[in-house]
Amino acid sequence: MPTPDTDRLRWDLFCRVIDNHGDLGVCWRLARQLADGGDAVRLWIDDGRALAWMAPAGHAGVTVIDWGDAGAVQRAVAEAPAPDVLVEAFGCDPAPELVAHFARHAGTARRHAWINLEYLSAEPYVERLHGLPSPVFRGPGEGMTKWFFYPGFTPATGGLLCEPGLVAQRDAFDRRAWLAGQGIAWRGESLVSLFCYEPPALAPLLRQWMDDLEPTRLLVTAGRANNAVEQALKMLEAPPDGRGALSISYLPHLPQPAFDALLWSCDLNLVRGEDSFVRAHWAGAPFVWQTYPQDDDAHHVKLNAWLDWLDAPASLRAFHHAWNGFSDAPALAPDAATLAGWCAAAQAGRARLQAQDDLATQLRGFVTQKS
Ligand code: TRH
């Protein structure tokens, strides 16, 4: 049902790109979904270059603004109304002039909420901290309250991004037609997508697929995964398009919906970071997560918390530990029976998530309640 005019919200969503593509990927999906619900969204981004391939057509209702453009900030303050909701993604500090503009309208605005959207984790602290207030003591927002909003996997968290009808769309998806449209000559091999950093277990895994009796086609995403495969193949002294039972297709950077279609097409998805990890849940196929490495090895705890949430079979746990570089055991290429077990776990996890409200729906409800 469309949102009545009186309930439409104006959102300012702030995103700073730290590295890679997850910060932007998450914010873009959230912006799109809010706009599809009838709201107006300005996405303030300090480096939006990746939008050229991630979202080449833009999206109705979403205005992208270069955060580094001082003129744009001045115009937003002088000419545009203050937003109803200010979202700072992942603790980035929004432009002070805009915070001041937002603060000036606090008393008169119909709705007024300042949200700190956090990183995703399945660790127990998420349930404790989700929805807590954080009073602002300094700066242009002094005296206001920010609210912590934590994505997560349980009903006591903010949930995961998922557009309405996504799983039904996935279920009606025709992978043969999509692969043909991408120019991928699929002859019925097992399909594996690869979106990773530089997993130490990559070369030995490629070797196992080369020596396997059953054929595998690896669909390698652009960027770091592509470079990692090149390095691994050099080590193995194998040609770029694979050898033995392994064939390899290299993909260009895909728009986000096509990236999702890639995950829907494969029998196994090797994903990373945050956004592709979430999308792999909705794909309903077996998947393996490479966590974003953190200095203090906090990603080990993060990974194990999610494996616990999933109730992952032992073979999937072992593969994850090897793939993420914290076990000396090899990442064993799964056979059909093992893969079936991984698939059952992925689908059971997805069913639990589907019973909960998605992140954008929860965020909108939270804002309405807090303002
Ligand atoms: O790129 P990532 O590793 O992102 C991150 C960042 O490292 C970030 O700093 C960190 O904080 C976060 O992880 C946890 O992986 P992620 O999150 O999966 O983001 C990738 C995005 O890029 C996702 O939205 C999908 C998109 N994408 C495409 O749209 N097309 C493509 O071809 C590819 C390869 C990715």
Side-chain angles (χ1 to χ4, degrees), residues 53-71:
W53 48 265
M54 200 183 274
H59 197 74
V62 180
T63 309
V64 177
I65 310 182
D66 175 1
W67 188 348
D69 175 359

Side-chain angles (χ1 to χ4, degrees), residues 179 184 191-194 217-221 249 251 262 266:
L179 291 162
I184 296 165
L191 294 176
V192 179
S193 72
L194 180 70
R217 176 172 292 274
L218 189 65
L219 304 179
V220 181
T221 56
S249 302
L251 304 174
L262 168 69
C266 288

Side-chain angles (χ1 to χ4, degrees), residues 14 38 57 94 105 118-119 121 131 138 258 268 270 303 324-325 342 349 362:
F14 286 86
H105 290 77
E118 281 291 345
Y119 284 112
S121 176
R138 253 175 256 107
L268 172 64
L270 304 173
L303 175 64
N324 282 276
W342 294 7
Q362 290 208 46

